[in-house]
Amino acid sequence: MEPFKDFKNRFKLLVSKHRHLVVNTLSNIFTMRLIGNKTHGDLAEIGIAEFINQFMYDFKSIHVGKDLFRAKEREEDIVIINEVTKSQFPVGLKAYGDGPLQLSTDSD
């Protein structure tokens, strides 16, 4: 869980200094709820992955949700790689019903 904690801390730092970046990204994602939950969920996966790639310079993100879902292997949606330490971890983004976007990592 240490790589995820490092990522969370770096994400919090970015948001504290450039709040508008994450507000604009999340606003676009949540607006898609008006169209439909499935569309919103897919957009959340892609939007967060691209947010990481564009604004978190020491991290790289790969959207793997569709590939893993079709293969019925795992439920994670993106893989985040720390470009400095080369550690990586899976992240799941869930957007069920009317509640908030849920961020989770593999419980193992």
Side-chain angles (χ1 to χ4, degrees), residues 1-45:
M1 283 302 276
E2 199 58 40
F4 179 67
K5 286 180 184 177
D6 178 46
F7 171 78
K8 267 193 345 186
N9 291 335
R10 298 286 299 282
F11 184 81
K12 285 180 188 178
L13 179 63
L14 174 67
V15 171
S16 72
K17 291 183 176 194
H18 303 284
R19 188 171 188 268
H20 68 282
L21 295 176
V22 76
V23 167
N24 288 341
T25 300
L26 293 175
S27 293
N28 288 334
I29 290 169
F30 287 122
T31 297
M32 292 304 287
R33 276 193 186 258
L34 299 174
I35 295 171
N37 199 41
K38 180 63 178 151
T39 303
H40 164 253
D42 291 345
L43 183 62
E45 295 166 14

Side-chain angles (χ1 to χ4, degrees), residues 14-101:
L14 174 67
V15 171
S16 72
K17 291 183 176 194
H18 303 284
R19 188 171 188 268
H20 68 282
L21 295 176
V22 76
V23 167
N24 288 341
T25 300
L26 293 175
S27 293
N28 288 334
I29 290 169
F30 287 122
T31 297
M32 292 304 287
R33 276 193 186 258
L34 299 174
I35 295 171
N37 199 41
K38 180 63 178 151
T39 303
H40 164 253
D42 291 345
L43 183 62
E45 295 166 14
I46 295 165
I48 296 298
E50 288 308 312
F51 178 89
I52 293 165
N53 290 334
Q54 288 184 30
F55 301 116
M56 299 186 73
Y57 302 110
D58 290 344
F59 293 90
K60 178 172 108 176
S61 179
I62 302 168
H63 178 239
V64 296
K66 192 172 282 189
D67 295 333
L68 293 179
F69 177 77
R70 286 195 175 135
K72 303 290 184 212
E73 290 178 29
R74 304 172 69 152
E75 234 184 272
E76 288 78 23
D77 301 308
I78 60 178
V79 172
I80 299 174
I81 302 159
N82 183 316
E83 296 279 57
V84 175
T85 66
K86 302 302 180 200
S87 61
Q88 63 180 344
F89 54 91
V91 172
L93 296 167
K94 303 299 171 215
Y96 300 116
D98 296 322
L101 183 68

Side-chain angles (χ1 to χ4, degrees), residues 90-108:
V91 172
L93 296 167
K94 303 299 171 215
Y96 300 116
D98 296 322
L101 183 68
Q102 300 166 24
L103 180 67
S104 64
T105 59
D106 184 349
S107 61
D108 295 329

